[in-house]
């Protein structure tokens, strides 16, 4: 560490921190001093692929297994993420749909949850910027408003997707995705290997392959193995961050401090620091997903060009959200098949993803180990579960354009690998932790980034939106 | 396989394991049983037996079945009684994984061609090998 005090201290190197830094560095003076504290270490993509092939790599031992970093009080529920440089960009699947405008005003439109303190139009320009940086592949026509086209062409549909798109138009689209349709910016084209957590051909956007130039910027000092456990909060100001590195306790002061870890650890650090906002740590949640296997009569479902070929919005937005959860369909292109002679690929698998709601009985708490938060989660909301039941009633009609033999539903997945809530965004401090610029309502030099800030839990994948929020926050605060 | 079905199979298996050698049958090894369930289930395909045996060698490496007497009993029961993948999760797993590890789907499910084992299906060992993707079904063909 070169200095004892920095203009900006950023904690974490995932999407939220990296996009925030990207915007900040464009606006900051050449003399700006920035320190980034990363708990883990750099585990290069090429080494991750080696590990997946069963080859030895010393990098594999650098970062702890994510499961060992927190106490899970509900073993039936998993919370999935990746430790180390780039955070969960190293395990995400690259799905980047925008939210729908209605997702930001659930209370006004449907009397559910709360309204976000910013709206879709506020983010539109930042969505576009993230899509450019990530080189998103996507279609021309989308169910959400969009002022410009996607940078890369859309992925190809499989047979069943073609039929559904013909039936539903822009409610059934090629999924906008960070799995590149064509080679771009040092990445290869996606070839539907469908093991996207570590892409075998490096087609997926990650912080490592982003070419954003953030961590190469001479103003930025990146410290690995620096485990932040608390901040010094005094007189409504975040003064400094406390961390352990190489077994020793350290402290570093910052004019501005940015929490950019995930929703578990952002909340844990705030709680360790004495943050008394009643919403800090509360409401942890995510979407609920389950698989619908659709057996098709004499229709071979082949030809998609990526992992999730398409998104279906037929069960997403509308008045029904007053009563039950929205559902986003994902058309899956894994090499699944039927074990029936002559009917091998007469099947289509869809992941049905339902929105969640923040509930106070689901929360993050501190433990005797300041590095290890505890997660208490009772289960999905009634609102979500009603959405699942309604979907099962409606899906046969929605799929009537396909020659459906039968639909078989799987059990809900134990995770969608998204961690939402714990530092929710609100118009005022009586309803949440951060404002629309992701600034803590009480500590006005403290940003708390990421999907922990989400006010409500739309079924859409969170990464594009949390990255756009980081750009928005930095652009409107400096 | 539901519990009741499994118990019935296990009972039958126990009886079979005692009775069949007495009747002159030689008890199959686990690997022979695995080869057998594949050959039985896919009898209508032209399978390369050596490839099937190699697949079973590869498949059993680090598989829990090596240390699970229950799973071994289950497998042999299925083999001797001709249980198919529709009634056994274990048989389904073995046969399903075998077929995706061959060139059968790459050859567009052509039953007239010899089915050759290519190595355990692993997207990291053979990227871009999803046999149902656009690489094998380009848009003009779909």
């Amino acid at each position: 560490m070169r200095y004892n005090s920095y203009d900006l201290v950023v904690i974490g190197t995932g999407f939220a921190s990296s996009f925030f830094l990207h915007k900040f560095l464009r606006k900051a003076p050449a003399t700006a001093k920035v320190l980034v504290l990363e708990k883990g270490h750099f585990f290069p993509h090429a080494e991750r692929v080696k590990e997946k092939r069963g080859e030895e790599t010393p990098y594999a031992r650098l970062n702890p297994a994510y499961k060992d970093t927190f106490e899970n009080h509900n073993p039936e529920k998993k919370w999935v993420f990746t430790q180390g440089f780039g955070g969960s960009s190293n395990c995400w699947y690259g799905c980047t749909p925008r939210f729908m405008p209605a997702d930001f005003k659930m209370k006004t439109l449907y009397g559910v949850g709360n309204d976000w303190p910013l709206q879709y139009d506020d983010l539109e320009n930042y969505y576009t910027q993230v899509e450019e940086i990530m080189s998103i592949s996507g279609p021309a026509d989308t169910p959400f408003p969009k002022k410009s086209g996607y940078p890369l062409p859309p992925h190809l549909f499989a047979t069943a997707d073609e039929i559904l798109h013909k039936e539903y138009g822009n409610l059934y689209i090629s999924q906008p995705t960070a799995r590149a349709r064509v080679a771009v910016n040092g990445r290869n084209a996606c070839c539907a290997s469908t093991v996207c957590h570590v892409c075998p051909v490096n087609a997926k956007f990650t912080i490592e392959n982003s070419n954003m130039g953030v961590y190469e910027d001479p103003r930025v000092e990146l410290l690995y193995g620096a485990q932040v456990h608390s901040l010094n909060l005094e007189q409504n100001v975040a003064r400094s961050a406390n961390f352990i590195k190489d077994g020793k306790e350290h402290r570093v002061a910052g004019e501005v401090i940015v929490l950019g870890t995930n929703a578990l650890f952002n909340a844990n650090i705030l709680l360790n620091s004495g943050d008394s906002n009643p919403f800090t740590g509360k409401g942890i949640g995510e979407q609920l997903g389950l698989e619908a296997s659709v057996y098709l009569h004499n229709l071979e479902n082949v030809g998609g060009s990526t992992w999730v070929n398409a998104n279906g919005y037929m069960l997403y937005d509308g008045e029904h959200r007053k009563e039950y959860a929205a559902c986003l369909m994902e058309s899956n292109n894994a090499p699944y098949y039927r074990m029936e002679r002559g009917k091998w690929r007469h099947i289509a698998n869809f992941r049905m993803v339902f929105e969640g709601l923040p509930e106070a009985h689901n929360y993050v708490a501190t433990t005797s180990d300041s590095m290890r938060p505890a997660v208490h989660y009772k289960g999905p909301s009634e609102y979500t579960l009603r959405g699942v039941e309604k979907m099962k009633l409606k899906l046969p009609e929605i799929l009537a354009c396909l020659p459906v033999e039968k639909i078989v539903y799987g059990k809900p997945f134990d995770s969608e690998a998204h961690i939402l809530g714990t530092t929710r965004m609100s118009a005022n401090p009586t309803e949440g932790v951060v404002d629309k610029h992701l600034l803590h309502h009480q500590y006005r030099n403290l940003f708390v980034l990421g999907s922990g800030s989400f006010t409500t839990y739309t079924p859409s994948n969170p990464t594009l939106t949390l990255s756009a929020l980081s750009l928005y926050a930095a652009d409107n605060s400096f | 396989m539901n519990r009741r079905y499994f118990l019935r199979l296990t009972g039958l298996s126990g009886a079979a394991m005692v009775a069949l050698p007495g009747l002159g049958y030689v008890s199959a090894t686990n690997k022979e049983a695995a080869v057998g369930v594949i050959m039985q289930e896919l009898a209508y395909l032209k399978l390369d037996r050596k490839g099937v045996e190699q697949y079973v060698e590869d498949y059993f490496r680090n598989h829990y079945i090596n240390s699970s007497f229950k799973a071994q009993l289950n497998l042999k029961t299925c083999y001797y009684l001709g249980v198919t993948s529709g009634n056994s999760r274990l048989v389904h797993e073995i046969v399903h994984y075998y077929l995706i590890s061959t060139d059968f789907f790459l050859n567009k499910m052509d039953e007239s061609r010899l089915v050759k084992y290519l190595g355990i299906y692993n997207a990291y060992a053979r990227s871009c090998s999803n046999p149902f993707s656009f690489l094998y079904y380009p848009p003009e063909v779909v």
Side-chain angles (χ1 to χ4, degrees):
Chain A
M1 203 164 65
R2 291 184 215 139
Y3 312 104
N4 293 322
S5 178
Y6 288 79
D7 298 312
L8 186 73
V9 173
V10 178
I11 300 158
T13 57
F15 288 110
S17 297
S18 301
F19 277 86
F20 185 93
L21 276 167
H22 178 75
K23 185 62 75 178
F24 172 83
L25 291 168
R26 290 189 170 214
K27 306 189 89 174
T31 55
K33 293 185 294 182
V34 178
L35 177 69
V36 180
L37 300 171
E38 166 54 52
K39 181 164 75 170
H41 298 271
F42 181 45
F43 184 175
H45 171 264
E47 296 297 316
R48 291 179 188 274
V49 173
K50 274 173 68 176
E51 184 189 31
K52 291 290 181 185
R53 287 188 187 129
E55 298 170 27
E56 276 291 316
T57 167
Y59 291 92
R61 291 184 289 277
L62 289 176
N63 296 308
Y66 73 91
K67 289 178 186 171
D68 298 336
T69 62
F70 66 102
E71 280 181 18
N72 187 355
H73 287 250
N74 180 353
E76 290 181 9
K77 173 66 184 153
K78 305 284 189 257
W79 302 96
V80 180
F81 53 93
T82 296
Q83 301 273 284
F85 177 80
S88 290
S89 76
N90 297 302
C91 69
W92 79 316
Y93 271 59
C95 305
T96 55
R98 293 184 177 192
F99 285 6
M100 299 286 277
D103 292 334
F104 296 89
K105 38 190 174 188
M106 290 292 290
K107 186 175 183 182
T108 297
L109 292 175
Y110 307 124
V112 171
N114 205 355
D115 289 346
W116 295 46
L118 81 178
Q119 295 300 306
Y120 183 93
D121 288 345
D122 298 320
L123 275 188
E124 216 281 340
N125 179 35
Y126 300 95
Y127 271 140
T128 303
Q129 290 178 41
V130 178
E131 287 158 353
E132 290 291 335
I133 293 168
M134 291 186 174
S135 299
I136 298 298
S137 303
D141 197 11
T142 57
F144 38 78
K146 198 169 184 316
K147 291 178 182 165
S148 56
Y150 282 107
L152 297 191
H155 272 284
L156 301 174
F157 286 136
T159 325
D161 301 319
E162 290 281 5
I163 295 168
L164 286 162
H165 176 62
K166 195 173 175 188
E167 180 76 13
Y168 293 106
N170 76 351
L171 289 182
Y172 195 91
I173 60 170
S174 174
Q175 183 186 59
T177 175
R179 303 177 301 271
R181 174 69 183 95
V182 295
V184 64
N185 203 17
R187 288 149 55 195
N188 293 307
C190 174
C191 60
S193 297
T194 73
V195 285
C196 314
H197 53 297
V198 178
C199 177
V201 298
N202 201 17
K204 176 188 74 170
F205 175 91
T206 64
I207 298 303
E208 179 187 346
N209 69 19
S210 69
N211 289 318
M212 290 165 76
V214 166
Y215 300 103
E216 296 79 19
D217 190 298
R219 293 168 290 180
V220 175
E221 183 182 349
L222 171 57
L223 214 56
Y224 288 115
Q227 302 183 67
V228 175
H229 55 79
S230 62
L231 309 175
N232 295 104
L233 306 176
E234 297 167 3
Q235 297 174 326
N236 296 332
V237 175
R239 303 283 184 193
S240 52
N242 303 310
F243 63 97
I244 295 174
K245 177 169 167 55
D246 302 327
K248 291 181 183 171
E249 186 75 39
H250 299 268
R251 174 178 290 192
V252 62
E255 284 295 313
V256 175
I257 295 180
V258 178
L259 281 177
T261 74
N262 71 21
L264 300 187
F265 296 100
N266 278 355
N268 190 52
I269 291 167
L270 287 172
L271 293 169
N272 281 335
S273 312
D275 176 22
S276 58
N277 185 299
F279 292 94
T280 300
K282 298 292 194 307
I284 186 169
E286 70 162 339
Q287 304 91 342
L288 182 72
L290 60 83
E291 189 160 78
S293 294
V294 180
Y295 289 67
L296 301 166
H297 177 68
N298 206 25
L299 180 71
E300 193 163 70
N301 183 35
V302 294
S305 65
T306 187
W307 157 245
V308 177
N309 288 320
N311 277 142
Y313 288 81
M314 296 84 87
L315 293 165
Y316 196 121
D317 197 29
E319 289 295 305
H320 68 269
R321 291 175 91 177
K322 289 178 179 173
E323 302 296 327
Y324 57 89
C327 172
L328 178 64
M329 294 174 68
E330 290 185 343
S331 167
N332 173 328
N333 196 33
Y336 53 83
Y337 65 89
R338 294 167 69 166
M339 188 60 81
E340 293 174 80
R341 187 180 186 182
K343 299 180 179 179
W344 304 104
R345 188 64 177 191
H346 294 184
I347 187 170
N349 278 355
F350 297 92
R351 194 181 188 107
M352 313 300 288
V353 184
F354 300 86
E355 71 184 320
L357 282 179
E359 296 184 298
H361 57 245
N362 301 324
Y363 61 96
V364 171
T366 58
T367 68
S368 58
D369 182 345
S370 62
M371 298 296 181
R372 270 184 112 229
V375 184
H376 300 264
Y377 183 78
K378 290 191 173 173
S381 67
E382 288 298 320
Y383 181 74
T384 301
L385 295 175
R386 281 198 298 275
V388 173
E389 292 313 308
K390 290 289 184 183
M391 177 277 292
K392 289 181 178 176
L393 293 175
K394 288 175 175 255
L395 193 59
E397 184 185 339
I398 285 171
L399 299 180
C401 55
L402 296 174
V404 177
E405 281 180 18
K406 63 176 176 178
I407 303 174
V408 177
Y409 297 103
K411 288 181 183 171
F413 296 110
D414 54 23
S415 174
E416 289 301 297
H418 306 145
I419 311 175
L420 314 176
T422 76
T423 55
R424 275 174 282 154
M425 193 191 307
S426 62
N428 61 67
T430 62
E431 296 179 316
V433 179
V434 298
D435 67 13
K436 68 178 182 178
H437 298 118
L438 307 183
L439 275 167
H440 195 290
H441 280 301
Q442 183 176 352
Y443 309 104
R444 303 302 291 165
N445 69 330
L446 173 61
F447 289 90
V448 188
L449 311 179
S451 56
S453 69
F454 287 8
T455 308
T456 47
Y457 309 156
T458 158
S460 294
N461 311 67
T463 300
L464 185 84
T465 296
L466 76 86
S467 301
L469 285 171
S470 280
L471 292 182
Y472 174 87
D475 200 26
N476 290 281
S477 302
F478 296 101
Chain B
M1 185 190 303
N2 64 36
R3 181 177 167 75
R4 183 173 297 175
Y5 192 75
F6 173 77
L7 290 172
R8 195 179 338 144
L9 279 184
T10 306
L12 284 169
S13 170
M17 298 290 275
V18 171
L20 291 175
L23 293 172
Y25 289 91
V26 177
S27 182
T29 65
N30 295 322
K31 289 177 182 173
E32 286 167 346
V35 170
V37 297
I38 294 170
M39 301 299 286
Q40 285 170 3
E41 173 96 18
L42 303 174
Y44 54 89
L45 296 179
K46 294 177 183 171
L47 303 185
D48 166 25
R49 187 175 179 97
K50 277 197 167 31
V52 177
E53 289 168 355
Q54 184 58 51
Y55 162 75
V56 169
E57 281 292 327
D58 296 344
Y59 182 83
F60 271 52
R61 207 168 285 142
N62 303 320
H63 196 278
Y64 73 91
I65 199 167
N66 290 315
S67 57
S68 168
F69 178 71
K70 189 173 158 186
Q72 292 169 13
L73 190 63
N74 184 9
L75 175 60
K76 289 184 181 179
T77 303
C78 292
Y79 170 54
Y80 282 124
L81 300 181
V83 176
T84 61
S85 62
N87 289 314
S88 163
R89 189 175 297 170
L90 182 61
V91 172
H92 185 275
E93 181 191 306
I94 291 171
V95 179
H96 193 275
Y97 205 31
Y98 164 72
L99 212 47
I100 196 70
S101 301
T102 70
D103 60 358
F104 177 63
F105 295 114
L106 296 173
N107 289 332
K108 308 282 170 61
M109 293 88 83
D110 182 350
E111 294 186 7
S112 69
R113 296 178 67 165
L114 182 69
V115 177
K116 292 179 190 163
Y117 174 58
L118 301 174
I120 289 281
Y121 184 83
N122 178 340
Y124 295 100
R126 283 187 291 127
S127 56
C128 311
S129 60
N130 180 346
F132 307 115
S133 77
F134 72 117
L135 293 173
Y136 305 94
Y137 293 88
E140 60 272 24
V141 174
V142 174

